[in-house]
Amino acid sequence: MKSKNTINFFEVTQRVGKAISNIQITDSETHKGEFATLKRIYDNDEMGRISTITSLSKELCVSVPAVSQMINALEEKGLVVRVPSETDRRIVKVKLTDSGNDFLKRSLDILFRYIDDILYKMGENDSTELISLLLKLETLMQKGQ
């Protein structure tokens, strides 16, 4: 039998995850999976890593065909472009367009305003403690893998 804390932890994290995924941060034309893909492409670029369909599939834990469909949709919306590698014709990079960068920035601004509001309502001490505990949890979970 699991402890009450284990059950509460599981249930609370499930509800918090669902609440986070329900935050409306994008327009009605773009779904959350597309937002996550745009964010990953942006993060990879910031870290000097190349984004390809295969790398995005691994990083997002989504099948290659699903990522390919998502990139097609994002390309149709003008948010990403496919760029053939100059050194290896088999590699096709995925990059954000200026519109993609603008869209991502606007969406992140909405998300961060929402988070700022929640943290403000929690108060400085509680929000600082929450972040500290979440970082500790992250470290412990990474060590357990």
Side-chain angles (χ1 to χ4, degrees):
M1 179 85 173
K2 301 296 176 209
S3 75
K4 185 174 180 174
N5 279 345
T6 301
I7 293 168
N8 284 341
F9 173 82
F10 178 77
E11 290 173 350
V12 167
T13 56
Q14 291 280 301
R15 289 192 306 268
V16 168
K18 184 174 181 165
I20 290 170
S21 71
N22 286 333
I23 299 168
Q24 185 63 37
I25 55 173
T26 63
D27 59 39
S28 60
E29 303 283 317
T30 306
H31 64 75
K32 289 173 179 60
E34 292 174 340
F35 170 79
T37 303
L38 292 170
K39 179 72 168 84
R40 179 58 66 170
I41 294 166
Y42 175 84
D43 290 344
N44 284 345
D45 191 49
E46 286 291 301
M47 292 184 280
R49 296 192 311 224
I50 295 170
S51 293
T52 65
I53 301 291
T54 302
S55 69
L56 291 168
S57 168
K58 290 176 185 172
E59 293 165 0
L60 297 168
C61 300
V62 179
S63 71
V64 169
V67 172
S68 185
Q69 283 183 328
M70 206 169 322
I71 296 301
N72 288 342
L74 291 169
E75 200 169 27
E76 286 176 23
K77 295 173 185 178
L79 302 175
V80 300
V81 291
R82 295 174 201 242
V83 181
S85 170
E86 297 168 3
T87 58
D88 187 341
R89 290 181 20 197
R90 297 170 295 173
I91 298 174
V92 177
K93 303 173 195 174
V94 181
K95 296 206 165 264
L96 294 181
T97 63
D98 289 342
S99 294
N101 274 309
D102 292 343
F103 175 83
L104 185 61
K105 183 184 180 315
R106 285 191 314 275
S107 297
L108 287 172
D109 285 345
I110 292 167
L111 178 62
F112 292 156
R113 278 196 310 271
Y114 178 84
I115 292 170
D116 282 344
D117 185 55
I118 295 295
L119 294 177
Y120 175 79
K121 288 175 182 175
M122 288 183 68
E124 183 74 27
N125 291 338
D126 285 350
S127 60
T128 300
E129 183 178 1
L130 173 64
I131 293 165
S132 176
L133 290 170
L134 288 171
L135 289 169
K136 184 175 182 178
L137 174 64
E138 177 188 29
T139 299
L140 291 170
M141 292 181 89
Q142 288 175 346
K143 286 181 181 178
Q145 291 181 354

